[in-house]
Amino acid sequence: MTAKKIVNKFKTLINQRFDRWLIKRIPVVESITLNRGNSFIFPSRFGLMFLATCVILFLIGTNYQNNLILFLVYFLLSFMITCLLLSYQNLSGLVLMAINSEDQFANESCTFTLRLTLPKNTKSNRAQQTSFAFKQASSTFPASNAQPSSEQQNITLFAKSAKRGWFKPGRVTVQSYYPFGLFRVWSHIDFGFSSLLYPTPVENALNNVVLSGEETDAGNQAAKVGFDTFSTLKPFQQGESLKSIAWKQVAQGKGTFTKLFEEERGGDVFLSLSAFNGVPTEERLSMLAYQVLTYEQQGISYALDLGTRVIDVGSGAEHQQLCLRALALYGDEHA
Amino acid sequence: MPEFLTRQSLSLIVFSYALVIVLLADQVNAVLIIFGVLCAAWRIALFTGRVTALNKIITNSISVVCIAIIVLMVYKLGVLNILVHVILLGFSLKFLELKSVRDVHFFVNTGLVLVAVFLVFNHTILMASAATVVACLLLMILLSIHGAALNTKSQLKMLSKILVLSLPLAIILFLVLPRLPSMWQMPLQNKATTGLTDSVSPGSIAELSQSSALAFRASFNGEPPKGQARYWRVLTLDEFDGKTWSQSSSLKREERRARRGQQIEYELIDKQSSYQLILEPHYKHYVPSLDFAYSSNDSSLLSDFSLRSIDPVYKRQAFEIEQYKQVDGFVNTAKSLQKYTQLPNKIAAIDNPKTREWIDNKLAAGIDKYTILEQLLTMFNKGDFRYTLKPPLLGEQQIDDFLFSSQAGFCVHYASTYLYVARVLDVPARMVAGYLGGEWDNSNEFLSVRQYDAHAWVEIWKDKQWVRVDPTAYVSPERVEQGILQSLDDQSEFLSGQYLSLRHWQNNQLFNQLANFLDRADYFWAVWVINYDNQKQLEILKRLLSNIPWLNLSMLILLLLFLGATITALWIFKPWQAEKLSIEDRLFNKLYEKVTEKYLTRSKGQTVADYCKTLGELKVNAQSSLLKFATLYNQIKYQASLTSSQKSLLIAELVVLRKAISKQCKR
C-alpha cells in the first residue's frame, strides 16, 4: 500500500516536472507547424517488442552462425530506422490552428475545433492515422482522426467538465503510429483552448414571480406552461435542451430536430437566485439555467437577479446569453 | 466484441500463416498443421459472424491441452523440435484471441521468429526468397493496420518504398558488422540424414544413384585434379555380414573420438594444393576429401585418412582443405590389420562356396595371391560383366551369384566381390565409400558433386601402405573418367524416376543451360552469402582500404554505416525539393529576425507592407526607409513585368535599404 503510494507520488512528481518542461518547450500557441522542435518520437510498445524479437533473431543467427538470419536481423533494424524517418515525416509540416469555441453547457460533451492544413507540395500522404485528443481528457471520448486525403479540414475534439465557468481542457495530444506501428510520434500542444460552460440545466417547476401580472392580459398564462401546443420542428442547435428534441424523428433517422412550442405571450418573469430555499447554490444556478432556456423558448421575457448582479427584463438570444454567462460566472471575481 | 480487423488485414494474416505452415511443413507434426488450419478457419468464421467469440477460460484450456498434446507427441524429437512446435502452436493459437492490435503485433513477431527458424534449416536461394516473401507479408499486415486509410495500391507502393529504402543500410550492416562466434551450443534437429551412411549395401548406393541432389561443391586453388584422380573419400568400412559392409566397433569408436576433436597423429608431407569445399547439409560429420587431406577449421582426421567435422553439417558449410601427397609415421600393426581380413561367420552359412572353390583352384595351381586378385580384375574387364544401375536381385550367396550368374551390377557389387576375394586370400582390405567425379560448371570455376556420383572402391594393404583399387574401373572405365551418365549402357536408367529434376533432361540444350545457370547462382550464393564470414569481410574492407590510404578499418565501418543512414534519410525527406524562399523574403526575414522583432512582432497574417507601416509609426526615424522597403518588396514580389536585370537592380537596392533600416532602428 505504502509502496504504491510512493510510486504514485513519484509519478505525479515526474508528471509535474514534465508539464513544467513542456510549458517551456511548447508554450501556448494559436497555430503551430509540427517539426523537430515540438514533436517527440519513441519506439512504441510494439517497437520495443520488435527490437526484442531482433535480439532473439540475432542470438539464433549468431549461435547457428547463419548469415541469412543475420541479414534478416540487419534488414529489420534498417527497416526500423526507415520507419523512424517515415513516421516523423508523416506529422512534420502539419499546420494546426485553433478555432475559437463557443459557450457550452457543463456536463455535456464540449467540442473544440482545430484546423489542420497539410503541407503543400507533398506527394506522399501525410497525417495518416493521426489522432487528436486532449491530453487529460477522460477516456470516454474516442480520439478524433484526421482525414489524410483533404488538404484542409476541421477536427473536432471532445472534452467534458462538470464545473460551470471557464473550462480549459488543456493540451492537445496529436499522435500517430503510422506506418508500421513501430514508433509513436506525438506532440502535446497547448492551443489555449477555453470555453465558458453554463450550469447544467436542471428541470424544475416554473413557479416564479410574474412581473406586473395585472398589466398583462394573460397574467397567469405563465403558470400553465405544461399545456403547450406543439407547432413546428426546427433543426437542433447546440445548447438547446435535450428535452425538446423530437426523439421520434431522430429514431426515424430524419435528423435531430427541436420541437417548437407556440405559447401565447405571457407576462414577464422575474428569476431570482433567492427563490429556492434550502437548495445548494450550484443546483439553484442549474435550475435558473433551465428556466432561462425554457422562458426564452416560450418567448416570455425574463429578468435575472443573482444578488450580486441584476439583469433587466428582456428576451432574445443575446439576452439569454447574457443571463447564462452571468449564471456561469456567478461567484467568480473576474466576472 | 466488435471486429477490429479489416477484411484485408485478416486475409493477409491468414495468407502469411498459410505460407509459414507450408515452409515449415516438413519440420512439424501433421496434427499441429491440422489444428492450426482449424484455428484459422475459426477466426475466419468469427469474422463472417458464423461463430461467437470464446471466453478466456475456454481459450486458455484449449491452449493448455494443445501444448500438452504437442509436447507429448514430439518430446522425443529433441529440444529444437519441441521449440519449433511450441512456437508454431502459439502462432496458431493466436487466431483464437486475435482481439486487438496488440495480438496482431504478437502474431507478426512470432511469425518473424518462425521465418528465422525456417532459415536455420534452409539456405538455398529459392528458400531464402520464400522466407523474404513471408517476412514482407508479415510487415504488410502491420501496414494494413497502421496505414488502414491507404488503399491497397498505395500500401504496396509504401511497402516497396520502405523495403528498397531499408536495403542499402541492411547490406552495409551485413557487410561490415563483424560476426560474433556462437555463444552457446544450440539444439540441433534430428533430421533424416542424406547421402552416404555408415553402412553400404548395393541397395543404398542404388538409391543414391537415383538422386540428383547436390552433395558438395569444390573450387581449387591451382591445378584441379584430373577425372580419374577425383576419388572423394568419405568413410571406410571393414565389416562384412555377407550383404552389407559396415564399420567395426573400433572404427566407430574412432569416429566418436573425432567428434570430440581428438585427432589421429600422423604426418602429412609434401603439400600439393588446396581447395574449398562447400558441403550441403547432410546432418552428419562426414567431410569428403581427396587423399590426403588436412583441414584446420573445426574438423579432425581419422586413421583411415578421412576427415570429420566436429559439429554435424546442418547447414551449407565451407571447409578449406589442404591436399598432401604422402603420409608419414603411419603404422598398422599386425593386430590392427586383423580386422581387415574379417569375413562373415561360417555359422551364418554365407561362405560363397563357388568363389572359394575358384580361389582354391587358383591357389592349388600355385598362383600368387596378388596375381589372383589381378586375374579377378581382368575377369571383370574381359568377361561378360556389365555395368548397370538396375541389376537383377542376388540370392543368399551374394558373391557367388554375382560372380558366376548375374554378372551385372555397379560399384558396390564389384568392390564387394573384390574385397571378399582379397580377404579369403588373407590380404587386408577395406571398402571406401565416397564420391567419384563431379561436374564442372560452364566456366570451370567449381566442381559440383551430386549424390548420384556416390561410389565405392577398395583399398588393400600392400607394401606397408594402403593401395587404392577400383574394380568398377575395369568394367566401366567411363564411370571413372566421365561420370555415371556416360558409363551406363542404357542411359534411360539415369535418374529414371526424376522427371522433375533438371538433371534428368541433361540432353536438352535449353534445360542444360538453365540448370547450369541456376547452379552458378546457387554456388555464388553459397560462397558469398551463406559462408560470408569475418575473413571475407576483412578481404573486402581491405580492398576498399587499399584505395584510400588515410582511412582505418573502424573509421571505414563507421563511415559506411553513416553513409547508409544518410542515403535513407535523404531519400525520404528530399531536402532539394523543399520550397525555397525568394530573395526578397529572405531579406525581409533577416531584417525581421535580427532587428525589428525586438520592437514589434509581426502578427499572424500581417502583410510585409502593413508591418513596415506599423513599425514606421513606432520608429519614426526609419519610417521613410521602411515605407520604401515595403514598396520595393511588393514591386519585386508581385510585379510580373520586371525583367531580370531590373529585378536584380531592385534587389541590390533592397539590400542597401535593409542595412540602413537596421542602423536607423538601433538608434
Side-chain angles (χ1 to χ4, degrees), chain A residues 210 213 216-225 267:
Chain A
V210 177
T216 47
D217 43 356
N220 46 0
Q221 285 283 352
K224 290 188 191 170
V225 175

Side-chain angles (χ1 to χ4, degrees), chain B residues 333-621:
Chain B
T333 57
K335 199 177 167 234
S336 70
L337 281 175
Q338 219 175 9
K339 64 180 178 190
Y340 292 116
T341 52
Q342 171 269 347
L343 279 174
N345 251 331
K346 284 262 160 66
I347 310 154
I350 305 170
D351 54 354
N352 297 297
K354 284 185 198 166
T355 314
R356 281 177 187 272
E357 196 192 319
W358 181 80
I359 295 167
D360 287 343
N361 286 341
K362 297 267 177 195
L363 283 174
I367 304 172
D368 168 45
K369 51 186 179 184
Y370 291 108
T371 320
I372 297 176
L373 284 174
E374 264 165 41
Q375 282 179 353
L376 178 65
L377 293 177
T378 327
M379 210 167 106
F380 287 158
N381 191 7
K382 297 273 154 54
D384 285 333
F385 287 89
R386 116 191 120 79
Y387 185 85
T388 171
L389 287 175
K390 292 183 172 167
L393 282 177
L394 299 175
E396 216 32 29
Q397 310 289 341
Q398 278 207 349
I399 309 293
D400 276 3
D401 278 5
F402 174 70
L403 206 53
F404 299 107
S405 57
S406 79
Q407 303 201 329
F410 48 91
C411 57
V412 184
H413 298 99
Y414 293 98
S416 182
T417 308
Y418 185 85
L419 263 169
Y420 190 85
V421 174
R423 284 191 173 188
V424 171
L425 289 168
D426 220 22
V427 176
R430 64 189 183 193
M431 182 181 269
V432 187
Y435 297 91
L436 171 62
E439 193 186 357
W440 289 103
D441 77 311
N442 283 348
S443 54
N444 287 344
E445 263 174 88
F446 60 89
L447 190 74
S448 306
V449 179
R450 295 175 184 279
Q451 293 300 353
Y452 57 60
D453 291 317
H455 191 58
W457 61 94
V458 180
E459 279 180 331
I460 56 171
W461 182 254
K462 196 179 168 187
D463 304 332
K464 296 201 168 159
Q465 59 175 339
W466 287 105
V467 179
R468 182 201 303 142
V469 180
D470 187 357
T472 317
Y474 293 86
V475 193
S476 167
E478 300 86 3
R479 169 70 188 93
V480 178
E481 278 150 26
Q482 287 164 314
I484 195 159
L485 181 63
Q486 279 70 27
S487 68
L488 291 169
D489 295 329
D490 177 7
Q491 296 203 344
S492 68
E493 278 181 14
F494 179 66
L495 297 179
S496 50
Q498 312 241 320
Y499 295 101
L500 280 178
S501 160
L502 281 175
R503 302 265 140 215
H504 181 85
W505 306 100
Q506 258 183 2
N507 292 328
N508 182 311
Q509 186 66 25
L510 182 72
F511 278 132
N512 203 16
Q513 273 183 4
L514 182 64
N516 259 312
F517 171 76
L518 291 178
D519 279 350
R520 276 181 70 81
D522 199 49
Y523 175 73
F524 287 108
W525 174 257
V527 174
W528 286 102
V529 181
I530 307 289
N531 281 292
Y532 182 81
D533 53 9
N534 286 340
Q535 198 191 330
K536 288 212 177 71
Q537 183 174 59
L538 221 59
E539 254 172 58
I540 290 188
L541 292 178
K542 279 205 176 124
R543 210 178 299 159
L544 268 176
L545 280 174
S546 62
N547 298 329
I548 315 163
W550 47 269
L551 211 61
N552 65 29
L553 196 65
S554 47
M555 282 270 288
L556 179 72
I557 293 179
L558 284 177
L559 193 78
L560 283 174
L561 289 178
F562 177 75
L563 208 73
T566 320
I567 290 172
T568 318
L570 285 179
W571 203 337
I572 290 177
F573 293 113
K574 300 191 177 74
W576 55 90
Q577 282 183 5
E579 229 182 324
K580 280 207 179 100
L581 280 177
S582 56
I583 301 174
E584 62 275 13
D585 278 324
R586 265 183 287 158
L587 281 169
F588 173 74
N589 281 350
K590 216 166 160 188
L591 178 70
Y592 178 71
E593 273 154 27
K594 283 208 169 151
V595 190
T596 60
E597 193 177 7
K598 277 183 264 180
Y599 312 115
L600 178 70
T601 48
R602 183 183 174 195
S603 55
K604 187 90 198 160
Q606 194 176 21
T607 62
V608 170
D610 190 40
Y611 174 78
C612 288
K613 198 176 152 223
T614 330
L615 185 65
E617 280 153 18
L618 206 73
K619 291 260 160 194
V620 188
N621 53 352

Side-chain angles (χ1 to χ4, degrees), chain A residues 199-221:
Chain A
T200 324
V202 169
E203 195 182 349
N204 58 89
L206 300 166
N207 42 4
N208 284 293
V209 184
V210 177
L211 275 179
S212 54
E214 298 88 351
E215 288 148 40
T216 47
D217 43 356
N220 46 0
Q221 285 283 352

Side-chain angles (χ1 to χ4, degrees), chain A residues 46 49 53 57 63-70 74-75 78-79 82 86 89 125 128-129 178-180, chain B residues 80 105 109 116 119 139 143 145-146 150 163 166 169 179-180 182-184 186-187 315 529-530 532 572:
Chain A
F46 171 54
M49 226 164 94
T53 307
L57 294 195
N63 279 327
Y64 281 108
Q65 296 282 298
N66 188 313
N67 273 338
L68 295 181
I69 300 177
L70 286 178
Y74 297 146
F75 180 77
S78 170
F79 175 82
T82 317
L86 285 173
Q89 192 194 33
N125 291 321
Q128 294 282 346
Q129 302 284 98
Y178 180 82
F180 288 88
Chain B
L80 185 63
H105 289 160
N109 276 323
L119 288 175
L139 297 178
L143 191 61
I145 283 177
H146 293 286
L150 298 174
L163 292 181
S166 309
L169 188 61
R179 300 289 183 274
L180 297 177
S182 76
M183 284 168 253
W184 60 81
M186 292 298 273
K315 60 165 191 173
V529 181
I530 307 289
Y532 182 81
I572 290 177

Side-chain angles (χ1 to χ4, degrees), chain B residues 596-663:
Chain B
T596 60
E597 193 177 7
K598 277 183 264 180
Y599 312 115
L600 178 70
T601 48
R602 183 183 174 195
S603 55
K604 187 90 198 160
Q606 194 176 21
T607 62
V608 170
D610 190 40
Y611 174 78
C612 288
K613 198 176 152 223
T614 330
L615 185 65
E617 280 153 18
L618 206 73
K619 291 260 160 194
V620 188
N621 53 352
Q623 192 168 28
S624 59
S625 322
L626 276 165
L627 288 176
K628 194 158 183 218
F629 188 93
T631 328
L632 275 174
Y633 175 90
N634 282 348
Q635 210 176 343
I636 297 168
K637 197 157 186 76
Y638 303 111
Q639 195 175 321
S641 61
L642 281 180
T643 63
S644 58
S645 58
Q646 280 173 318
K647 200 171 177 177
S648 50
L649 267 176
L650 290 177
I651 284 168
E653 216 173 319
L654 202 66
V655 173
V656 178
L657 260 177
R658 186 192 70 80
K659 281 180 188 156
I661 294 170
S662 4
K663 266 185 203 158

